[in-house]
Amino acid sequence: MNCVFRNALPFVTMGRVVKGFGRGSKELGIPTGLPFFIVGQVIKQFRRGQRELGLPTANFSEDVVEHLPKELDCGIYCGWAKVDSGPVYKMVMSIGWNPYYKNTKKSIETHILHEFKKDFYGSMLKVAILAYLRPEKNFSSLELITAIKSDIQAADKLLEQPEYQIFKDNSFFQDKNGQNNKYINGHKT
């Protein structure tokens, strides 16, 4: 199995309570819920983000998607991402069915707020999901692009806040391929 999950403390969310993982932090005014950490290999999937929307996404395998906790609602999230041993960047992530494209399988598509010079299929992607931005919706093509750009702006601003910045340096991103953080579906392996 090529997926690693990890729950961590403290948590940060944007007013959204997601039960079942993460304990939150009363000191920071952070409700119970996330963060949720995932490590998995980037796969070639639809390639629609770059071709059709001008917004490339890194996709996790079905294996990873199938092991997400049921409490993690479909929608748009933000947090931090790292490809292989590179730097940690801000990210926006869609978890769900992508109704615009009428997907038949649930997917996790991560847009990293950085312009990469080349594709990184086969690389290891680490993500820290920190905040729920909005529910998944169906859009017309123009509305979808506008919504994604709005999500990117919201994530960019939100992740500048100190309570979110602390996760950029989380030990999860320091360990090679999550070696010291091996959890699958919330259970240590």
Side-chain angles (χ1 to χ4, degrees):
M1 183 174 293
N2 70 354
C3 58
V4 177
F5 296 94
R6 179 172 180 245
N7 304 102
L9 303 171
F11 169 8
V12 186
T13 188
M14 197 166 124
R16 172 90 170 139
V17 177
V18 182
K19 297 177 182 170
F21 45 104
R23 292 187 184 158
S25 171
K26 288 183 182 177
E27 299 80 36
L28 294 174
I30 298 167
T32 301
L34 301 169
F36 201 72
F37 293 84
I38 305 171
V39 175
Q41 191 171 37
V42 176
I43 63 160
K44 251 185 200 181
Q45 204 166 18
F46 307 112
R47 303 190 74 180
R48 302 180 293 221
Q50 176 63 41
R51 280 195 331 256
E52 297 178 26
L53 304 172
L55 299 161
T57 59
N59 302 296
F60 286 111
S61 70
E62 289 179 31
D63 215 21
V64 174
V65 178
E66 290 171 4
H67 286 88
L68 284 174
K70 289 176 178 43
E71 297 87 359
L72 194 62
D73 292 333
C74 291
I76 309 304
Y77 293 82
C78 69
W80 298 100
K82 179 178 180 173
V83 178
D84 291 330
S85 60
V88 178
Y89 297 108
K90 296 173 183 175
M91 67 86 178
V92 176
M93 170 185 285
S94 169
I95 298 176
W97 302 93
N98 296 320
Y100 176 78
Y101 290 105
K102 299 175 179 42
N103 285 10
T104 58
K105 293 188 178 188
K106 191 174 185 179
S107 65
I108 303 173
E109 298 184 22
T110 305
H111 174 71
I112 301 170
L113 279 64
H114 175 76
E115 192 169 322
F116 291 89
K117 300 214 183 283
K118 60 181 184 167
D119 291 335
F120 47 88
Y121 299 117
S123 295
M124 290 305 290
L125 176 63
K126 293 182 178 186
V127 297
I129 304 170
L130 302 179
Y132 180 90
L133 297 176
R134 66 172 174 85
E136 183 176 49
K137 297 179 185 175
N138 196 1
F139 295 101
S140 70
S141 61
L142 183 58
E143 290 173 327
L144 175 61
I145 294 168
T146 301
I148 292 170
K149 288 181 179 180
S150 178
D151 297 336
I152 290 168
Q153 288 176 344
D156 191 39
K157 184 177 179 180
L158 184 69
L159 294 170
E160 286 299 318
Q161 295 178 20
E163 60 270 25
Y164 291 88
Q165 283 284 316
I166 61 172
F167 286 96
K168 184 177 182 182
D169 298 320
N170 189 282
S171 63
F172 172 76
F173 291 117
Q174 309 309 315
D175 299 337
K176 183 176 175 164
N177 295 326
Q179 291 298 316
N180 295 329
N181 299 314
K182 291 222 171 198
Y183 286 78
I184 297 177
N185 205 24
H187 296 93
K188 190 168 185 171
T189 59

